Amino acid sequence: AIRVNVLGFSIASCVSSILLLALYSKHQRVRRMPGWVMSRASCCELLSSLCFILLCFAGDPWQRPYAQTLSSLVMVAEAGAFAWRLVMFLHLVSIYFNPFNPDKHRFFYPTCVLLLASLSAGPCCVYLASAPQDSKAELVRLYFSTMTFAIFVLPFMIFAFLGAVLNITIRVLSCGAGRAAKRNKHSTCISKLARQRAMKHSTAYLLLYAVQLSAGLCLAALLAWGPPRLEHAMRRWLVVLGCGRP
């Protein structure tokens, strides 16, 4: 039953990611910030969904090497998707300090995403590949705990925590600049006007994904320390949030 749920929600996630990418390529207005960032995150989510679909036909993922490779790709893709979403807040910092040319450091973003995804998801992949093979029950538990950590805990630290820190920092700096402009009776600075749209969208995305990831963390905690009778329901809802998130 869990495998059927994974397949169904992964297909729905795959279709939604493809539709979003088609919308991005069709309408030029969507390509504006943060649209181009979300489209790259959707590519990572599409890769993750495809790997989940292939995993459904790979048998027990903790017993087959190529299935472990697919699981590693899922972890890296999930970390990469939320690293791309974090770029929204890095772009806000760029707008604040350089409002006339906010895309000056844009060519650094893919390198930052690659490094962040590799450093965060890489240890999980190594840990999963080096797991002991003597106890199947222990291996199954380790596999699901590692995947849960990579799909919920890592994205929460990458996007929700770091994004919130950058968001609050920019808001504090903006408030200070606004008070200074009022004291000096200056008009609204171009830096504030340039970041208004990006700030509104990035805050909305932060709240949306923070709620989803927090719900996943709560379900994972209930699965680990809750009563056994709730295990099946918790696994089902974790599949909904993990595979059907986009």
Side-chain angles (χ1 to χ4, degrees):
I2 296 295
R3 184 169 297 180
V4 172
N5 291 333
V6 170
L7 180 61
F9 284 105
S10 297
I11 291 175
S13 174
C14 186
V15 171
S16 65
S17 298
I18 292 175
L19 289 177
L20 182 59
L21 291 173
L23 179 66
Y24 170 79
S25 62
K26 182 70 174 178
H27 299 283
Q28 187 173 2
R29 289 185 59 187
V30 183
R31 302 180 192 180
R32 298 170 58 191
M33 183 69 185
W36 65 271
V37 171
M38 296 305 296
S39 67
R40 285 155 177 78
S42 295
C43 291
C44 295
E45 296 282 8
L46 178 60
L47 174 61
S48 176
S49 299
L50 291 175
C51 290
F52 271 125
I53 293 173
L54 294 176
L55 277 172
C56 292
F57 302 99
D60 293 338
W62 47 86
Q63 292 179 340
R64 301 177 183 270
Y66 65 88
Q68 291 186 357
T69 302
L70 290 174
S71 302
S72 299
L73 283 175
V74 168
M75 292 187 283
V76 174
E78 289 290 332
F82 283 95
W84 270 115
R85 295 182 180 111
L86 183 67
V87 167
M88 287 189 292
F89 301 99
L90 297 178
H91 194 72
L92 277 176
V93 176
S94 181
I95 290 175
Y96 181 85
F97 289 104
N98 194 1
F100 294 100
N101 188 18
D103 293 329
K104 179 180 180 180
H105 306 290
R106 182 169 172 172
F107 63 93
F108 283 119
Y109 295 159
T111 303
C112 294
V113 169
L114 182 61
L115 287 175
L116 187 57
S118 301
L119 292 175
S120 57
C124 294
C125 300
V126 174
Y127 181 69
L128 185 64
S130 60
Q133 305 288 328
D134 50 350
S135 174
K136 180 178 179 180
E138 182 65 20
L139 187 59
V140 171
R141 185 196 63 81
L142 185 144
Y143 176 82
F144 281 107
S145 61
T146 304
M147 291 294 290
T148 301
F149 181 84
I151 293 175
F152 293 104
V153 180
L154 278 182
F156 186 88
M157 292 188 295
I158 292 173
F159 182 69
F161 179 73
L162 293 179
V165 170
L166 291 174
N167 194 4
I168 293 173
T169 301
I170 293 300
R171 287 184 181 276
V172 171
L173 292 174
S174 301
C175 290
R179 287 194 295 267
K182 288 182 179 180
R183 285 196 301 268
N184 297 327
K185 297 182 179 180
H186 290 164
S187 59
T188 304
C189 61
I190 192 170
S191 177
K192 180 178 179 180
L193 296 175
R195 66 175 173 267
Q196 280 181 344
R197 179 179 178 274
M199 178 70 77
K200 179 178 67 175
H201 284 79
S202 59
T203 302
Y205 281 119
L206 178 63
L207 293 175
L208 173 64
Y209 285 102
V211 170
Q212 292 179 343
L213 293 172
S214 298
L217 292 177
C218 293
L219 291 174
L222 287 174
L223 181 62
W225 298 294
R229 58 187 176 84
L230 296 178
E231 180 177 352
H232 182 73
M234 294 302 101
R235 288 186 184 276
R236 185 183 295 270
W237 281 107
L238 278 174
V239 167
V240 173
L241 289 175
C243 299
R245 188 162 51 209

